[in-house]
């Protein structure tokens, strides 16, 4: 038995005990590589983190549940996908009280696990099983778990242990006599979360068809849907954003409007999602925030007002998954679990219902015109009309079943609409190089919609905010080269890159290659120019969080390693490289009145230091020098000893830490270019002795925590490691983070604040 405890960095405690960050695919990949191959085959991986979840259901509980059931599971299946299927451990997800096997659901937040049963298989070929246990402690189930693990005939992907028996869910058809009208529900006030959306407005209209009903709508907009305007005297619209607003304050705002509350309909939610291979946690949270926080609000309102019913508008995606729908399917499955939930010591008079809707036509998310592939068009051809949905809503209120699936086709046929067809995806239609700007914009919009897993895109939207990462942009740039024959280097894309910026690069064509290219990511309004020098791998994308935190008054330029663009260039020593870099940045920003600030992280700090020394030597010193976690001055020989295996771990970390998954062909090619730069730069560090500037004010930031096993990072430096190599007094900041964490939020904010301080650039007013 090998045990892995959740922590920050991969650490081996002894032969069979490890610590790792379970939400970091790179650490899990490295951990799997350390386990002997012979032990992987026939091994069961028991993912027990969801067992730690309790019965609470507030915002903090949901955040913990999303980490335990989504972030860590997504990382794990991505790591498992890199292994050959024959050597892949069997994955078991363990929870307690999350499935309604013989009663209610005690831990509704753990219902998020349901999406892991379909989406990883559809996208990555990784199969997971879900075993729901009667309690969180092994004493309640330890004797029974081996029976499940050793049963070679077991085929159900979801099972639950209750009263000594293993149960699995079975779907039963519901027969409704076509002539039996639904029983009318009690008239009164009905609250609809997401009430101005297509489905919410349709259901509100159905409720308002009865004169005794009034509705309260919670929505982000202020416009009443046209279908409700005839009933405006019985409609109250409360403007609120369920994704961001304080829920306690919102409940208080709603309270005066909920006298005699008859029912709650939770129809809020937004479409969106990304492939597991490029899943980004913040973007995933934004996708599901309204749906999950709406469920928290619903629980509070049930406790406060005890309505007759609470109906959750879920989706068939909770059962069938869907490519790119890992988090969306999970959020809907959580709603299904809420419909089976009875809070501890809570009242039970409110009837809870969940409707797993199939696609709607004319209204709802699935009817969005951006989703126009053939499979989706086939789905819409059999989708529900608003009239169908309204009638089924009435039936659901009459039947009062806790979980009702609404499928417009047989269930085995419905799965077709949620999975990709076998075989490779069709290649995009090439656009001629002579295409107009409009043609190019339309074509690249389609490419980006597919890469980002979204259905809308404003040309000015920052692509990183939409979930893009370096690998996404590499794929896009490869597609641009294939379609138009134009090479655009990743380093030319700014920290706020958008489709509009990419089109400007494409319109300008390929620039003439020079030995050193200075990329300006931000044109400031002030006289100061901050130059950021690339780290050891040569890529400057790691500086995105830092540049994003800097004020608009500061001009920011960056220098990527020229060998990253052209591996045929000769390797240079650090002093030679510094001379070329300094010449390039001065040429890019000529004229009097400019003040140059130099900064670099990792290897970039050593290079920036040499640039500062050269600037002093030619009589035009830099205004300031900022070293961000530089390797200790004597670390060159130690770092040069890194072997190819350790370098591979570095690239796995750097290219997957922002939500990317198994490397594509483009990603592998880029990783090889990073490796080439890295080896050359490490060799340059081996015999280098950092110079000592005499007049340039210097600030040093040092990370206090080790970066973790298998990663290319210096050991934490002593506080005085650099004081004798810099002109005094030297300002040294020590941050409680790792070598990689120092250039990411929240720690990068402190670095940015110091770089932005006016005094950081006032010592020497000379030109760069």
């Amino acid at each position: 038995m090998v045990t892995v405890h959740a922590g920050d960095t991969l650490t081996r405690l002894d032969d069979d005990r490890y610590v790792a960050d379970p939400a970091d695919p790179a650490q899990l990949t490295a951990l799997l590589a350390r386990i002997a191959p012979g032990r992987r085959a026939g091994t069961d991986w028991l993912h027990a983190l969801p067992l730690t979840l309790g019965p609470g259901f507030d915002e903090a509980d949901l955040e913990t549940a999303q980490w335990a059931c989504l972030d860590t599971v997504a990382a794990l299946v991505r790591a498992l996908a890199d292994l050959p299927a024959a050597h892949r451990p069997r994955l078991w997800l363990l929870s307690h009280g999350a499935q309604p096997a013989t009663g209610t659901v005690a831990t509704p937040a753990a219902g998020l696990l349901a999406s892991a049963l379909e989406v990883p298989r559809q996208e990555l070929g990784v199969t997971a099983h879900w075993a729901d246990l009667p309690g969180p402690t092994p004493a309640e189930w330890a004797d029974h778990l081996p029976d499940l693990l050793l049963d070679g005939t077991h085929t159900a992907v979801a099972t639950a242990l209750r009263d000594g028996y293993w149960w699995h869910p079975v779907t039963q058809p519901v027969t409704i006599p076509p002539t039996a009208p639904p029983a009318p529900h009690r008239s009164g006030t009905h609250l609809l979360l997401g009430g101005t959306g297509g489905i919410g407005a349709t259901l509100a209209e159905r409720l308002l068809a009865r004169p005794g009903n009034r509705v309260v709508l919670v929505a982000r907009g202020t416009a009443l849907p046209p279908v409700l305007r005839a009933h405006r005297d019985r409609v109250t619209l409360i403007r609120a954003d369920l994704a961001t607003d304080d829920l306690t304050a919102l409940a208080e705002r709603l309270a005066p409007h909920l006298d005699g509350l008859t029912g709650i309909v939770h129809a809020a939610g937004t479409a969106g999602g990304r492939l597991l291979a490029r899943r980004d946690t913040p973007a995933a949270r934004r996708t599901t925030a309204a749906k999950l926080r709406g469920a928290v609000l619903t629980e509070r309102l049930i406790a406060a007002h005890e309505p007759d019913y609470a109906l959750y508008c879920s989706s068939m995606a909770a059962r069938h998954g869907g490519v790119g729908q890992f988090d969306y399917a999970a959020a809907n499955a959580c709603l299904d679990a809420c419909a089976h939930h009875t809070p501890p010591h809570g009242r039970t008079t409110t009837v809870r219902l969940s409707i797993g809707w199939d696609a709607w036509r004319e209204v709802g998310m699935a009817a969005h015109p951006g989703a126009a592939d053939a499979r989706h068009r086939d789905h819409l051809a059999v989708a529900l009309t608003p009239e169908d949905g309204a009638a089924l809503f009435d039936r659901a209120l009459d039947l009062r079943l806790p979980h009702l699936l609404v499928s417009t086709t047989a269930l085995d046929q419905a799965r077709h609409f949620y999975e990709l067809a076998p075989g490779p995806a069709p290649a995009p239609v090439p656009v001629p190089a002579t295409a107009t700007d409009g043609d190019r914009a339309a074509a690249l919009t389609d490419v980006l919609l597919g890469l980002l897993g979204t259905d809308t895109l404003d040309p000015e939207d920052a692509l990183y905010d939409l979930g893009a990462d370096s690998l996404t942009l590499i794929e896009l740039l490869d597609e641009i080269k294939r379609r138009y024959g134009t090479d655009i280097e990743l380093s030319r894309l700014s920290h706020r890159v958008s489709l509009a910026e990419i089109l400007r690069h494409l319109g300008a064509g390929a620039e003439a290659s020079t030995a050193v290219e200075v990329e300006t990511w931000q044109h400031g309004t002030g006289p100061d120019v901050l130059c950021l020098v690339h780290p050891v791998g040569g890529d400057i994308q790691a500086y995105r969080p830092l540049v994003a935190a800097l004020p608009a008054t500061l001009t920011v330029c960056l220098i990527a390693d020229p060998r990253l663009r052209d591996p045929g260039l000769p390797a240079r020593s650090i002093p030679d490289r510094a001379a070329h870099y300094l010449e390039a940045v001065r040429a890019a920003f000529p004229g009097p009145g400019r003040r140059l600030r130099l900064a670099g992280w990792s290897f970039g700090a050593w290079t920036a230091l040499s640039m500062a020394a050269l600037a002093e030597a030619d009589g035009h010193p830099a205004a300031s020098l900022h070293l961000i976690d530089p390797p200790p001055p004597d670390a060159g020989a130690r770092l040069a000893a890194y072997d190819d295996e350790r370098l591979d771990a570095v690239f796995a970390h750097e290219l997957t830490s922002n939500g990317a998954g198994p490397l594509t062909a483009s990603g592998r090619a880029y990783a090889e270019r990073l490796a080439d730069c890295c080896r050359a730069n490490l060799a340059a560090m081996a015999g280098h002795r950092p110079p000592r500037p005499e007049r340039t004010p210097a600030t040093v930031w040092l990370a206090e925590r080790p970066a973790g096993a298998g990663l290319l990072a210096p050991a934490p430096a002593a506080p005085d490691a650099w004081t004798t190599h810099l002109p005094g007094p030297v300002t040294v900041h020590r941050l409680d983070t790792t070598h990689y964490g120092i250039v990411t939020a929240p720690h990068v904010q402190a670095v940015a604040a110091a770089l932005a301080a006016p005094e950081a650039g006032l010592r020497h007013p000379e030109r760069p």
Side-chain angles (χ1 to χ4, degrees):
M1 177 178 289
V2 177
T3 58
V4 183
H5 299 274
D8 294 325
T9 57
L10 177 59
T11 306
R12 180 180 178 180
L13 302 179
D14 57 38
D15 287 347
D16 291 324
R17 291 195 308 129
Y18 293 85
V19 172
D21 181 352
D24 185 339
Q27 290 192 35
L28 296 179
T29 297
L31 175 63
L32 287 165
R34 293 186 181 193
I35 299 173
R39 293 165 60 178
R40 289 203 300 258
T43 298
D44 292 298
W45 183 297
L46 306 183
H47 186 74
L49 290 175
L51 285 172
T52 64
L53 302 178
F57 196 71
D58 59 21
E59 293 162 273
D61 297 320
L62 266 180
E63 179 60 32
T64 301
Q66 287 176 281
W67 171 79
C69 300
L70 299 180
D71 300 344
T72 63
V73 172
L76 180 55
V77 298
R78 284 160 51 187
L80 292 174
D82 286 337
L83 297 176
H87 294 164
R88 194 177 293 159
R90 290 188 302 174
L91 174 57
W92 294 89
L93 310 174
L94 305 184
S95 64
H96 70 94
Q99 295 183 31
T102 59
T104 62
V105 164
T107 315
L112 293 165
L113 287 169
S115 67
L117 304 182
E118 290 293 338
V119 181
R121 178 187 60 78
Q122 294 166 357
E123 294 186 17
L124 303 173
V126 175
T127 300
H129 294 80
W130 180 12
D132 190 57
L133 305 167
T137 58
E140 301 175 79
W141 41 261
D143 291 341
H144 298 279
L145 192 57
D147 296 337
L148 181 67
L149 301 181
L150 300 176
D151 183 359
T153 65
H154 176 77
T155 58
V157 293
T159 54
L161 179 65
R162 301 291 189 273
D163 303 322
Y165 293 92
W166 288 103
W167 304 74
H168 63 91
V170 176
T171 303
Q172 299 287 351
V174 177
T175 302
I176 304 174
T179 58
H185 51 74
R186 180 169 66 90
S187 297
T189 299
H190 301 262
L191 172 68
L192 288 95
L193 307 181
T196 61
I199 293 177
T202 299
L203 303 185
E205 181 188 25
R206 188 69 163 197
L207 291 168
L208 290 169
R210 297 190 177 91
N213 284 337
R214 56 182 295 267
V215 299
V216 178
L217 311 179
V218 176
R220 286 183 295 180
T222 58
L224 200 63
V227 296
L228 302 182
R229 291 173 186 169
H231 309 286
R232 65 175 67 248
D233 58 325
R234 290 186 287 135
V235 177
T236 300
L237 178 57
I238 306 295
R239 184 180 183 184
D241 189 344
L242 290 171
T244 58
D245 286 2
D246 181 86
L247 297 183
T248 300
L250 178 55
E252 293 173 353
R253 287 174 54 201
L254 289 172
H257 305 283
L258 301 183
D259 289 340
L261 184 63
T262 299
I264 302 172
V265 178
H266 178 5
T270 56
R274 303 191 68 208
L275 296 175
L276 282 165
R278 290 192 289 270
R279 181 179 183 272
D280 174 73
T281 297
R285 294 289 192 273
R286 291 191 294 270
T287 297
T288 59
K291 190 175 288 287
L292 290 176
R293 296 180 86 246
V296 172
L297 178 62
T298 299
E299 289 297 323
R300 295 184 185 180
L301 296 177
I302 290 173
H305 300 279
E306 199 174 347
D308 289 357
Y309 72 89
L311 188 145
Y312 301 88
C313 287
S314 178
S315 167
M316 289 281 284
R319 175 187 177 92
H320 292 315
V323 172
Q325 300 299 305
F326 180 70
D327 290 88
Y328 176 74
N332 284 289
C334 187
L335 297 192
D336 296 337
C338 287
H340 290 277
H341 178 52
T342 300
H345 314 297
R347 297 186 177 96
T348 59
T349 56
T350 297
V351 175
R352 296 164 177 261
L353 315 92
S354 178
I355 302 180
W357 293 111
D358 206 340
W360 288 47
R361 68 181 85 172
E362 303 174 33
V363 300
M365 300 175 191
H368 195 286
D373 59 275
R375 184 178 299 267
H376 184 72
R377 289 194 297 270
D378 290 344
H379 202 180
L380 289 181
V382 296
L384 297 163
T385 65
E387 293 75 17
D388 294 333
L392 285 165
F393 170 65
D394 274 342
R395 285 293 183 188
L397 291 179
D398 181 33
L399 291 168
R400 302 207 161 197
L401 296 172
H403 187 192
L404 184 66
L405 296 175
V406 175
S407 180
T408 60
T409 61
L411 283 179
D412 58 344
Q413 298 174 8
R415 186 175 298 276
H416 162 81
F417 297 120
Y418 294 84
E419 298 193 23
L420 285 178
V429 177
V431 177
T434 56
T436 66
D437 290 345
D439 292 336
R440 290 174 175 176
L444 294 183
T445 296
D446 287 343
V447 173
L448 277 168
L449 292 179
L451 290 173
L452 297 173
T454 185
D455 53 12
T456 59
L457 178 69
D458 188 295
E460 299 295 338
D461 284 344
L463 299 182
Y464 288 118
D465 290 347
L466 298 178
D469 51 40
S470 294
L471 289 182
T472 307
L473 296 178
I474 289 170
E475 290 186 54
L476 175 64
L477 298 181
D478 277 355
E479 184 63 17
I480 288 173
K481 182 177 180 180
R482 187 184 74 81
R483 290 172 180 246
Y484 308 114
T486 301
D487 274 311
I488 301 175
E489 284 296 319
L490 183 64
S491 61
R492 293 180 64 189
L493 306 185
S494 76
H495 64 298
R496 298 290 297 172
V497 61
S498 63
L499 174 60
E501 178 185 323
I502 291 170
L503 289 170
R504 288 194 294 272
H505 288 308
L506 184 57
E511 296 179 352
S513 176
T514 60
V516 178
E517 293 185 356
V518 178
E519 304 295 346
T520 303
W521 281 8
Q522 179 170 291
H523 293 276
T525 57
D528 290 355
V529 176
L530 172 64
C531 178
L532 296 170
V533 184
H534 66 83
V536 71
D539 191 349
I540 55 178
Q541 295 301 312
Y543 288 120
R544 285 191 291 108
L546 175 59
V547 179
L550 292 169
T553 55
L554 186 62
T555 294
V556 184
C557 69
L558 300 93
I559 299 177
D561 194 327
R563 283 177 62 91
L564 191 61
R565 181 185 68 254
D566 184 0
L569 291 173
R572 297 184 183 276
S573 67
I574 291 178
D576 189 26
R577 182 190 301 269
H580 283 82
Y581 289 5
L582 185 62
E583 180 184 5
V585 74
R586 283 176 167 166
F589 299 97
R594 290 286 197 175
R595 292 191 295 258
L596 176 63
R597 309 185 195 184
L598 295 170
W601 169 56
S602 175
F603 172 85
W606 279 28
T607 308
L609 175 66
S610 291
M611 293 171 68
L614 290 172
E616 285 187 3
D618 67 14
H620 300 288
S624 60
L625 172 65
H626 306 267
L627 309 183
I628 305 171
D629 204 35
D634 60 351
R638 295 195 301 273
L639 291 173
Y642 275 66
D643 56 23
D644 288 348
E645 182 179 351
R646 297 190 73 178
L647 293 182
D648 289 342
V650 173
F651 304 137
H653 179 276
E654 292 186 352
L655 290 178
T656 63
S657 60
N658 290 327
L663 295 181
T664 62
S666 300
R668 286 192 296 273
Y670 193 69
E672 291 173 1
R673 292 159 63 190
L674 290 171
D676 176 75
C677 289
C678 192
R679 293 186 185 96
N681 293 336
L682 288 174
M685 296 177 76
H688 179 67
R689 295 178 60 86
R692 187 184 189 280
E694 298 295 335
R695 293 180 285 161
T696 308
T699 304
V700 181
W701 284 268
L702 297 177
E704 292 188 310
R705 293 162 55 191
L711 299 180
L712 177 58
D720 60 350
W722 281 95
T723 52
T724 60
H725 289 264
L726 297 168
V730 180
T731 302
V732 178
H733 301 279
R734 296 185 66 81
L735 300 180
D736 183 23
T737 185
T738 67
H739 181 70
Y740 290 94
I742 205 167
V743 288
T744 61
H747 305 287
V748 76
Q749 303 296 331
V751 181
L755 288 172
E759 62 271 17
L762 294 178
R763 183 71 63 88
H764 300 292
E766 294 90 348
R767 67 177 178 86

